[in-house]
Amino acid sequence: MTRYALYFAPEARWWQQGSNWLGRDAASGQLLAQPTIAGLDAHLQRQLSSDARRYGFHATLKAPFQLADSLTEADLRRVLQEFCAQQSIIQINAPQVQWMGKFLALRATGDQAALNDFAFACVRHFDHFRAPMSEAELARRQKMPLSAPQNELLLEWGYPYTAEEFRFHMTLTDRLDAGAIADSLHAAAIQHFSLSEPLVIDGIALFIEPEAGADFELLARFPFG
C-alpha cells in the first residue's frame, strides 16, 4: 500500500513557516510546536490540522498514487531527474492565506498560466507510473460532490482537481466550521505567513506514504535545470 506523490515543497523560510504552522517537518519527520493562538486550546488546534500535518507542507502537482506493476522507485527518481532538468524556474507573488471551500490554504495570486501548465505537464508525464485505481478507491472518490468535468478528470487521471480544475494551494487546516475558532485560525495564519518574498517554483519534491495512513515523508527534491 505504499504511495508516492509529486509535490512542490518550498525551501528556506517558506518551508520553515509552513512546517511550524502544521506542527511537523516532513523532511526530518520531527514534530514541532505550533504557533500559539490566543484563546485557542493547543490540543484542539492540533486536531484541526491533523490531516494537513500528515501530508506535510506542500502544493500538489501529481496526487498520491501507487506504482504501476513493473515500475520501481528508482525508475520514478530517474524520470523525475530527467524531467526536472528540462524545466525552467517559475516565480509567483507571495501566496496569500485564503479560504478554499471550508479549509484555509496559501493560494497563488497574479498570473498563474505558466504554473498551471507546468502542473498539468507533471500529471501527464508521470501518469504511466500510476497504478489504476481500485473499485473501492474510485467509489470513495466519487462519494465527494464532484462536477461532471471533475468526474471525467478523476477517471482519466486518478484525481479530479487537475487540468482546468487545478488550483495551486498549500493546505493549512482541515475542514473548519464557520465561527469564532475558524476566524481565529484565519487571523493567526495571515499573521504567521506575512512574508513578502515571492515563491520560487524551482523543483519537484518526491514524497512517500510508506503504508496506508502513515505520515507522508519528503524523500528527495529534484531541482530544475
Side-chain angles (χ1 to χ4, degrees), residues 15-16 19-20 23-32 56-57 207 215-221:
W15 177 257
Q16 294 167 3
S19 297
N20 286 337
R24 186 174 73 91
D25 186 315
S28 67
Q30 181 181 5
L31 293 178
L32 306 171
F57 188 56
F207 276 59
D215 289 343
F216 277 75
E217 305 166 8
L218 196 164
L219 284 179
R221 286 186 169 95

Side-chain angles (χ1 to χ4, degrees), residues 116-138:
N116 294 344
D117 289 346
F118 164 67
F120 194 42
C122 291
V123 171
R124 295 194 309 268
H125 192 84
F126 292 94
D127 201 55
H128 67 287
F129 281 97
R130 177 177 62 88
M133 284 187 296
S134 66
E135 290 185 6
E137 184 180 5
L138 178 60

Side-chain angles (χ1 to χ4, degrees), residues 2-224:
T2 298
R3 292 194 299 170
Y4 294 88
L6 305 185
Y7 290 157
F8 167 68
E11 298 189 67
R13 194 175 176 197
W14 280 107
W15 177 257
Q16 294 167 3
Q17 291 293 96
S19 297
N20 286 337
W21 174 264
L22 293 179
R24 186 174 73 91
D25 186 315
S28 67
Q30 181 181 5
L31 293 178
L32 306 171
Q34 292 177 284
T36 300
I37 300 176
L40 183 59
D41 177 75
H43 179 68
L44 176 59
Q45 180 183 351
R46 204 152 188 87
Q47 284 184 318
L48 295 175
S49 57
S50 59
D51 283 343
R53 181 166 51 257
R54 186 174 84 83
Y55 283 87
F57 188 56
H58 75 280
T60 298
L61 298 172
K62 188 160 186 64
F65 58 91
Q66 289 181 283
L67 282 176
D69 290 343
S70 79
L71 292 173
T72 67
E73 181 184 311
D75 296 325
L76 181 56
R77 285 174 176 261
R78 174 179 52 80
V79 176
L80 266 168
Q81 187 170 11
E82 294 169 353
F83 178 79
C84 287
Q86 303 302 314
Q87 305 306 310
S88 299
I89 290 174
I90 302 170
Q91 182 170 291
I92 63 173
N93 297 335
Q96 302 297 307
V97 175
Q98 298 178 6
W99 287 103
M100 195 162 183
K102 288 196 170 186
F103 65 91
L104 288 170
L106 282 172
R107 301 186 65 179
T109 59
D111 184 4
Q112 299 168 45
L115 180 54
N116 294 344
D117 289 346
F118 164 67
F120 194 42
C122 291
V123 171
R124 295 194 309 268
H125 192 84
F126 292 94
D127 201 55
H128 67 287
F129 281 97
R130 177 177 62 88
M133 284 187 296
S134 66
E135 290 185 6
E137 184 180 5
L138 178 60
R140 179 180 62 81
R141 285 283 192 183
Q142 289 180 325
K143 285 182 179 178
M144 298 184 294
L146 300 177
S147 66
Q150 289 169 346
N151 192 60
E152 291 177 7
L153 291 168
L154 172 65
L155 295 174
E156 184 168 5
W157 304 109
Y159 190 61
Y161 307 115
T162 188
E164 66 274 9
E165 296 291 327
F166 175 76
R167 303 290 183 272
F168 180 93
H169 68 280
M170 309 180 80
T171 302
L172 301 178
T173 68
D174 300 350
R175 292 172 64 87
L176 302 171
D177 294 326
I181 291 175
D183 292 343
S184 294
L185 280 165
H186 188 194
I190 290 173
Q191 182 178 10
H192 184 79
F193 290 100
S194 59
L195 306 180
S196 58
E197 61 231 48
L199 195 62
V200 180
I201 315 296
D202 58 359
I204 295 176
L206 176 62
F207 276 59
I208 186 173
E209 181 190 34
E211 59 185 15
D215 289 343
F216 277 75
E217 305 166 8
L218 196 164
L219 284 179
R221 286 186 169 95
F222 293 81
F224 291 167

